[in-house]
Amino acid sequence: METIVESSGLPADAFSAKCPTRQVLDHIAGKWTILVVDALLEGTMRYTDLSRRIEGVSQKMLTQTLRSLEGDGFITRTVHPTIPPRVDYELTALGRSLAEPITALRRWTEDHINEIEQARSRARD
Amino acid sequence: METIVESSGLPADAFSAKCPTRQVLDHIAGKWTILVVDALLEGTMRYTDLSRRIEGVSQKMLTQTLRSLEGDGFITRTVHPTIPPRVDYELTALGRSLAEPITALRRWTEDHINEIEQARSRARD
DNA sequence: CAGTATCCGGGCTGATACTG
DNA sequence: CAGTATCAGCCCGGATACTG
């Protein structure tokens, strides 16, 4: 089945430069996005939970990624007005839906890492 | 089932900063990679075929992406020594395997673009 | 705790020109 | 046809310092 983009009336097609699908693909196709969405599948998490779960992510990139995911409707951000503050991040229904293909991609990479490393060492010859 | 990374002896884990899975995820998670791999599912293609199929890609980025995919063992590059030259690009078995989760991600984005655009317009309020 | 603000280098990216 | 080479701008991304 073909999806018609409501804003343009044209079929959704990532190969077309004008299709909004392109920008969304750009957002999704960042390594931090994949890891954040995947991490939130484990349940609601606070900011520090996420930064611990995702090794090597800087405060800046984590915040930036969370804001982008929130803007696209993939996660919700809940601020509890306490001292110290507490902020919970959680996947929306749309976000949980996105998590399926994203998890598949992460798993595939983990499962095939040895084959890839072998191809790489061969390519260096 | 858990994959053990042969080069380190540790389990493959994209959440770990040191795992080579991270760099591969970085390569895969580029918009051009997704589109090139997806396009090559339609069959062997020449350089110009790809540049026509993938609207908006520059020569530089297409070449760069093809070289990266070749280095990771996802595609083969075959040069026919004719005049004018002819170069064919084709997915390897590993590349066809990767294409599955990648296509799923592109399709998901195309299928949910309207929901995402609605979330975006709501976020702008 | 959960960020924001700022700086800065490096690499992505596009445009243009050129080549076997 | 299938690239390479070069330039220039901008954004990615990390490090550091600071705040309600």
Side-chain angles (χ1 to χ4, degrees):
Chain A
M1 262 304 293
E2 194 180 62
T3 300
I4 302 295
V5 179
E6 291 173 7
S7 58
S8 67
L10 298 169
D13 177 15
F15 290 104
S16 162
K18 287 155 211 145
C19 185
T21 301
R22 266 287 177 82
Q23 287 102 55
V24 175
L25 216 50
D26 251 5
H27 285 192
I28 293 174
K31 64 175 163 184
W32 302 125
T33 302
I34 291 178
L35 294 171
V36 168
V37 169
D38 246 343
L40 286 175
L41 262 185
E42 297 165 10
T44 301
M45 285 199 188
R46 303 175 60 173
Y47 186 86
T48 335
D49 294 335
L50 284 166
S51 65
R52 262 193 298 268
R53 182 78 182 94
I54 302 166
E55 284 182 29
V57 68
S58 65
Q59 284 190 336
K60 181 180 169 181
M61 291 317 298
L62 182 54
T63 301
Q64 207 168 99
T65 304
L66 289 168
R67 294 288 184 277
S68 163
L69 288 171
E70 194 190 358
D72 284 347
F74 299 139
I75 64 170
T76 56
R77 177 172 181 273
T78 312
V79 183
H80 302 274
T82 54
I83 295 177
R86 175 197 176 96
V87 181
D88 286 331
Y89 293 95
E90 193 175 7
L91 290 176
T92 61
L94 189 62
R96 280 191 299 277
S97 169
L98 169 63
E100 292 182 33
I102 279 199
T103 301
L105 189 56
R106 176 183 56 75
R107 287 242 182 84
W108 186 93
T109 310
E110 289 173 352
D111 290 346
H112 294 79
I113 188 63
N114 286 320
E115 287 176 71
I116 297 165
E117 293 223 286
Q118 279 161 29
R120 285 183 164 184
S121 62
R122 244 177 281 123
R124 275 192 295 272
D125 296 338
Chain B
M1 260 301 296
E2 193 181 63
T3 300
I4 302 296
V5 180
E6 292 172 6
S7 58
S8 67
L10 297 169
D13 177 15
F15 290 104
S16 163
K18 286 156 215 148
C19 186
T21 301
R22 267 285 179 82
Q23 287 101 54
V24 176
L25 216 49
D26 251 5
H27 285 193
I28 295 174
K31 64 176 161 181
W32 302 123
T33 301
I34 291 177
L35 294 171
V36 168
V37 169
D38 246 343
L40 286 176
L41 261 185
E42 297 165 11
T44 300
M45 285 199 187
R46 301 176 62 173
Y47 186 86
T48 334
D49 294 335
L50 284 166
S51 67
R52 262 192 299 267
R53 182 77 183 95
I54 302 166
E55 283 182 28
V57 68
S58 65
Q59 284 190 336
K60 182 179 167 184
M61 290 318 297
L62 182 54
T63 301
Q64 205 169 103
T65 304
L66 288 168
R67 294 288 185 276
S68 162
L69 288 171
E70 195 189 357
D72 283 347
F74 299 140
I75 65 172
T76 56
R77 177 174 182 272
T78 311
V79 182
H80 302 275
T82 54
I83 294 176
R86 174 197 177 96
V87 181
D88 287 331
Y89 293 95
E90 191 175 9
L91 289 176
T92 61
L94 189 62
R96 280 191 299 277
S97 168
L98 169 64
E100 293 182 32
I102 279 198
T103 301
L105 189 56
R106 176 183 56 76
R107 286 243 181 83
W108 186 93
T109 310
E110 289 174 352
D111 290 346
H112 294 80
I113 187 64
N114 285 320
E115 288 176 71
I116 296 166
E117 292 223 287
Q118 279 161 28
R120 285 183 163 184
S121 63
R122 245 178 278 124
R124 276 193 293 273
D125 295 340

